[in-house]
Amino acid sequence: AAPFRCIYRPLWRVITGSGRLTVGMRNISFTENHFSATNHKTASVGSPWTLHGAVCLQRLPVISQDRNPIEEEFSGLMQQMELERSLLSDHELRLLEDAARMSRKQEEDYDSDEEEDYGDKEIVTAQDLEDAWEQKLKQFHPAQRSNGDKLDVSSSERCLADSLVLLIKQDVGSQKVWLLPQVQWKAGETLRQTAERALAHLPADVKATFLGNAPCGFYKYKYPKDIQKEGSVGAKVFFFKAVMCSPNHLPLEKNSFAWVKKDELKDFLTPEYLKQVNRFIMSL
Amino acid sequence: MNMAGIVCRTLSRVVSSQTSCCSSVVSVRHSHWFTSILSPKTSVPLRAEPKKKKKVDPRREQMMKERLKKKLKKLERVPPELIPIEDFITTAKCFDETRVREVPKLSFEETERRALLLKHWSRYKFSQHQAEMAEIKEALEAQRQALEELKIESEDLYKAAIGPDTDLFPFQHQGPCYTPPIPNYEAPDGKYNDITRVYTQ
């Protein structure tokens, strides 16, 4: 079976012509032609790989990131330039008028009857308005941007400015390994349903939206020789991306769950696994 | 002339008396087609009674009226006034001279700093763009390879994976703000007066 597969794989790729990737314009449109030939394996009964479905659950950022020094400088410059090129607004004109009126009042030969619109009403200067607005703003207390380093790796409130991925510690063979939640595929269901099942198996109740039916990546590994049964040489894991809808505050076990940024992944995952997973987890 | 007339008459009398005895032909004189030679030459239609113009005139008058009405309507039909696009009209406030801001003159160092900062920024943004494009390309490549592997494994699963996801759209997600949301926060009612101008044609 294996050598046959190696021969016809390049052939069908030449004939079909794989999908076009228009990367330069940032629109992710992916089309693949369906190649239906007579000599094609339909069932996975004969394949020696067991299939698993895994879910890459992401909590997207909740607050905006802090600016780099270059970004700070540039934003300051942009504001300065905009101010220089602008016209005076109504509020600024009013401020200037009030200042002029004040300076006229300070003079000795000031006659209040000369004022045109003065009358008997109280003057609410623009400065007073500004102060009133400041006071009102101070009454509102927004939530803090950064929680500091108090929070644990297992809390989903960790780094609010980055997107986090959920990892769990599972038994693979005889060892406990950190990986994305995965579950073995059952016959009769699609791989996406397997991934949904993997999500449901987590103790925390999360609502997540799966982004499409297609897997975003895969990882295959061979079982060690003593475990290799007759039918299975190893396992193939297909990853599906999901986005967490509502923030959940349920605490998870510290040792078996982790919400992790992209750069922290290397502390948890094995190198081979990490190499495949890093491809589709984006830190944008 | 009188003599000639008298002669003609006596002659015609003679002729008519002769012919009336002989034949049943009606005498020439009694028919309206033939008048006397001496009277002016006129044709029968000219000498006939004037016609009563009943139907044709009202019709013609009506046609004239209709034509006049149509012309009036054309003149009165004004094209509907176009609704002005308020975004394209610069308000009079912008041309007010009292609003011109006093701009301090920039020193040489300041202009230099600005030029260098703009160049630095363009380089930074370019490298950021390259990094983003590379990441997206990598992710797409990973997906393509995953689908290839799936196809090798099983055709049915591959077909299910390629099929469109109907539950995905419309997709909604709250984007990042400056501060995180406060739990159980009641926002105050925002009262506003809507002063948008509504135009009718």
Side-chain angles (χ1 to χ4, degrees):
Chain A
F4 176 61
R5 217 188 287 150
C6 292
I7 291 167
Y8 83 75
R9 203 192 302 181
L11 237 186
W12 74 252
R13 211 189 292 180
V14 163
I15 293 166
T16 50
S18 41
R20 303 203 179 285
L21 310 167
T22 56
V23 173
M25 297 304 289
R26 256 200 227 221
N27 64 343
I28 303 174
S29 63
F30 185 80
T31 58
E32 187 155 349
N33 291 320
H34 179 61
F35 178 66
S36 55
T38 48
N39 55 345
H40 210 71
K41 284 192 181 170
T42 48
S44 60
V45 178
S47 80
W49 302 90
T50 46
L51 296 179
H52 294 257
V55 62
C56 167
L57 182 66
Q58 278 185 310
R59 188 223 69 193
L60 296 177
V62 175
I63 58 173
S64 53
Q65 286 178 335
D66 286 324
R67 292 193 191 132
N68 296 339
I70 168 79
E71 283 173 356
E72 283 279 5
E73 245 188 285
F74 188 71
S75 76
L77 173 65
M78 282 291 108
Q79 283 195 0
Q80 225 180 338
M81 284 171 78
E82 267 193 45
L83 190 65
E84 282 166 13
R85 291 177 191 182
S86 66
L87 296 171
L88 295 170
S89 66
D90 290 336
H91 184 73
E92 281 186 310
L93 278 180
R94 201 173 157 181
L95 276 170
L96 287 173
E97 270 176 29
D98 291 342
R101 200 189 292 145
M102 282 314 220
S103 63
R104 265 182 284 151
K105 261 191 181 175
Q106 307 302 329
E107 282 170 30
E108 288 177 353
D109 52 342
Y110 171 70
D111 191 2
S112 67
D113 295 331
E114 283 178 357
E115 294 285 334
E116 286 177 359
D117 304 315
Y118 186 38
D120 287 325
K121 40 188 180 162
E122 303 173 11
I123 310 174
V124 182
T125 54
Q127 195 62 44
D128 293 337
L129 281 175
E130 271 190 26
D131 294 332
W133 295 335
E134 281 271 356
Q135 287 299 311
K136 207 168 179 186
L137 178 64
K138 280 182 189 166
Q139 283 174 12
F140 173 69
H141 304 287
Q144 270 201 322
R145 261 171 74 86
S146 66
N147 288 320
D149 296 320
K150 295 176 275 185
L151 288 172
D152 210 12
V153 184
S154 66
S155 159
S156 69
E157 309 284 310
R158 268 188 79 212
C159 309
L160 293 171
D162 302 301
S163 59
L164 303 175
V165 181
L166 180 68
L167 295 181
I168 61 175
K169 210 168 190 180
Q170 262 183 347
D171 300 327
V172 173
S174 51
Q175 296 166 326
K176 279 216 167 196
V177 172
W178 281 105
L179 32 74
L180 298 171
Q182 73 183 48
V183 143
Q184 191 163 356
W185 172 76
K186 277 185 209 162
E189 64 174 5
T190 60
L191 274 171
R192 180 175 151 157
Q193 284 165 355
T194 322
E196 281 164 2
R197 225 168 16 104
L199 191 64
H201 273 311
L202 299 172
D205 184 30
V206 278
K207 280 185 202 166
T209 327
F210 274 82
L211 305 173
N213 285 330
C216 57
F218 84 104
Y219 175 66
K220 64 182 177 193
Y221 59 97
K222 286 190 176 171
Y223 293 140
K225 294 235 166 163
D226 40 332
I227 302 179
Q228 262 183 29
K229 297 169 222 172
E230 284 181 359
S232 54
V233 165
K236 272 191 188 174
V237 191
F238 288 93
F239 300 100
F240 287 81
K241 264 197 185 171
V243 163
M244 202 160 82
C245 308
S246 53
N248 81 317
H249 305 276
L250 293 172
L252 302 167
E253 278 178 42
K254 283 188 189 180
N255 289 323
S256 40
F257 294 91
W259 287 99
V260 154
K261 290 192 281 192
K262 182 166 176 176
D263 8 329
E264 293 170 359
L265 278 174
K266 60 184 192 318
D267 301 328
F268 287 81
L269 304 174
T270 52
E272 280 298 316
Y273 194 77
L274 176 70
K275 199 170 122 181
Q276 292 297 322
V277 164
N278 256 343
R279 293 176 81 196
F280 59 81
I281 291 184
M282 300 206 270
S283 64
L284 291 174
Chain B
M1 274 302 288
N2 273 330
M3 289 301 289
I6 292 162
V7 167
C8 284
R9 263 184 238 120
T10 48
L11 264 174
S12 61
R13 233 181 268 138
V14 168
V15 166
S16 63
S17 61
Q18 280 183 351
T19 49
S20 60
C21 320
C22 311
S23 65
S24 60
V25 173
V26 183
S27 77
V28 175
R29 210 28 188 336
H30 294 305
S31 139
H32 62 278
W33 293 110
F34 305 103
T35 53
S36 64
I37 307 162
L38 295 171
S39 62
K41 261 194 180 173
T42 49
S43 60
V44 175
L46 213 56
R47 284 180 272 115
E49 218 180 51
K51 291 182 208 163
K52 292 178 188 176
K53 292 183 182 175
K54 275 185 187 173
K55 288 175 190 174
V56 187
D57 241 0
R59 250 189 254 163
R60 274 194 196 166
E61 279 176 20
Q62 260 185 357
M63 290 291 284
M64 287 296 290
K65 277 184 193 171
E66 275 170 34
R67 270 182 230 151
L68 280 171
K69 275 182 194 170
K70 275 186 190 174
K71 279 183 190 171
L72 273 173
K73 271 187 193 173
K74 269 193 186 175
L75 285 172
E76 280 172 12
R77 204 195 309 155
V78 177
E81 217 179 272
L82 297 170
I83 298 174
I85 301 172
E86 294 196 12
D87 291 335
F88 292 169
I89 307 165
T90 40
T91 48
K93 275 187 184 177
C94 299
F95 299 113
D96 199 359
E97 281 176 359
T98 55
R99 288 175 182 260
V100 174
R101 197 184 286 271
E102 290 168 6
V103 180
K105 204 175 172 190
L106 297 170
S107 65
F108 174 71
E109 284 91 16
E110 181 62 25
T111 48
E112 281 287 306
R113 178 195 82 102
R114 285 189 181 185
L116 288 170
L117 182 59
L118 287 169
K119 294 193 181 187
H120 188 21
W121 176 254
S122 77
R123 269 179 274 136
Y124 168 72
K125 269 300 189 186
F126 176 71
S127 58
Q128 200 183 51
H129 183 255
Q130 294 287 84
E132 282 175 3
M133 287 296 116
E135 252 192 277
I136 292 172
K137 200 170 172 182
E138 188 68 34
L140 280 178
E141 181 62 29
Q143 190 182 48
R144 191 189 63 85
Q145 284 181 357
L147 281 170
E148 261 183 40
E149 287 287 318
L150 187 59
K151 201 168 183 183
I152 293 167
E153 282 295 312
S154 112
E155 197 61 37
D156 293 327
L157 289 176
Y158 176 72
K159 275 186 210 167
I162 283 192
D165 184 10
T166 47
D167 299 324
L168 184 57
F169 295 110
F171 177 70
Q172 277 188 358
H173 177 73
Q174 233 358 330
C177 301
Y178 189 66
T179 51
I182 301 170
N184 304 325
Y185 177 69
E186 281 177 27
D189 282 334
K191 292 177 222 165
Y192 58 94
N193 294 326
D194 198 2
I195 54 166
T196 45
R197 290 186 207 164
V198 179
Y199 295 95
T200 47
Q201 277 193 321

